[in-house]
Amino acid sequence: MTNTQLPAIITSSNVTKHYNQTYALAGVDLTIGLGESLAIMGPSGSGKTTLLHCLAGIIRPDEGTIRLLPTDRSAAAEVTSLKEKGRTALRREVFGFVFQQGLLLPELTALDNVALAAMLSGLKRTDATEHARAWLQRLGLAEHLNKRIGQLSGGQAQRVAIARAQVTQPVVTFADEPTGALDSSTSSEVLSELLASTTGRGSTLVVVTHDETVAARCSRIVRLADGRIVSDSANQPMGNDQRVQSSQYVQNNR
Ligand code: ADP
Ligand code: MG
């Protein structure tokens, strides 16, 4: 099943990945819409992370194809046939990433972490720093720009991770258990900011989560078991406060 109301941004067809004799993905067909928030759920080991990594061009599937459809901000690409250099460019310029941990450099300040991502996507240092500061301020971190990641709380660090992912205005943001290490009220705030900064400006969020309260706030829920999609349903998102108005996100950044 696909969400026919939205134009597609990514299509995957028969995506298969195995490690030795074990199938991590056993043939996944999925069409992801522009502007949707898609939750990927399923038991541990069901292939969620592997699917996310294939869709994002981090790993290459054994079989199947993944296509990125063209938008006014990015060209069409066949992700599965790109060489490493092309996939790196996609990851830096078109996709954004928020993981449970690991993408931020602990020895750099919040500002430098975000500015570095902007520079890797091609901005000059002064512009990168300006955009980084603006994003961190929007996410409530104005007081923490010059703190190292190690000096921040888990929720603050995840806000830096969101700023880092969004400073390049990605077309698709991939998040793997982004609130997995947070308490429930911090998790809820971080998710609000993640949704507002992605779907709030019309871009797509793909989020792997174990948490039904996270999934309940997404517009679509896909469930995996043993490397296959076992259910795919549209969802009426619950409890989304629009703390950050989408129009704020359209201004300023590229
Ligand atoms: P999930 O994110 O749903 O917990 P994963 O996608 O991480 O699941 O893993 C799916 C299956 O693939 C599991 O059986 C896991 O052990 C296996 N797997 C994932 N990555 C690797 C790897 N790099 N090497 C060997 N097996 C792997
Ligand atoms: Mg996983």
Side-chain angles (χ1 to χ4, degrees), residues 58-173:
I58 295 171
I59 58 174
R60 210 198 287 253
D62 299 325
E63 285 172 57
T65 51
I66 293 161
R67 288 196 181 83
L68 177 70
L69 285 90
T71 68
D72 54 3
R73 293 203 50 250
S74 55
E78 188 160 317
V79 179
T80 29
S81 59
L82 287 175
K83 299 244 161 44
E84 183 52 35
K85 198 173 164 190
R87 287 188 284 140
T88 301
L90 264 191
R91 295 195 302 262
R92 285 182 177 167
E93 293 157 24
V94 181
F95 297 154
F97 297 93
V98 180
F99 293 158
Q100 188 171 321
Q101 55 207 3
L103 284 181
L104 299 173
L105 298 168
E107 291 306 312
L108 294 187
T109 64
L111 186 62
D112 286 345
N113 265 281
V114 179
L116 182 62
M119 284 164 68
L120 286 172
S121 83
L123 286 189
K124 285 188 297 191
R125 179 184 284 275
T126 46
D127 292 339
T129 304
E130 188 185 312
H131 286 308
R133 183 177 287 110
W135 272 97
L136 287 164
Q137 285 169 347
R138 278 172 207 183
L139 288 159
L141 293 166
E143 320 270 282
H144 305 288
L145 300 179
N146 296 313
K147 288 195 181 150
R148 294 202 175 107
I149 302 307
Q151 297 174 291
L152 300 175
S153 70
Q156 288 166 343
Q158 277 311 62
R159 288 189 183 87
V160 177
I162 293 170
R164 181 195 176 282
Q166 298 308 313
V167 73
T168 60
Q169 297 281 274
V171 174
V172 183
T173 300

Side-chain angles (χ1 to χ4, degrees), residues 167-220:
V167 73
T168 60
Q169 297 281 274
V171 174
V172 183
T173 300
F174 294 97
D176 195 349
E177 303 276 3
T179 61
L182 306 176
D183 64 69
S184 65
S185 93
T186 308
S187 163
S188 172
E189 286 168 24
V190 165
L191 182 65
S192 295
E193 279 151 2
L194 187 57
L195 284 163
S197 62
T198 54
T199 59
R201 60 178 173 83
S203 76
T204 301
L205 176 65
V206 180
V207 56
V208 164
T209 184
H210 271 110
D211 186 341
E212 294 285 350
T213 63
V214 169
R217 293 176 60 188
C218 293
S219 62
R220 180 178 171 196

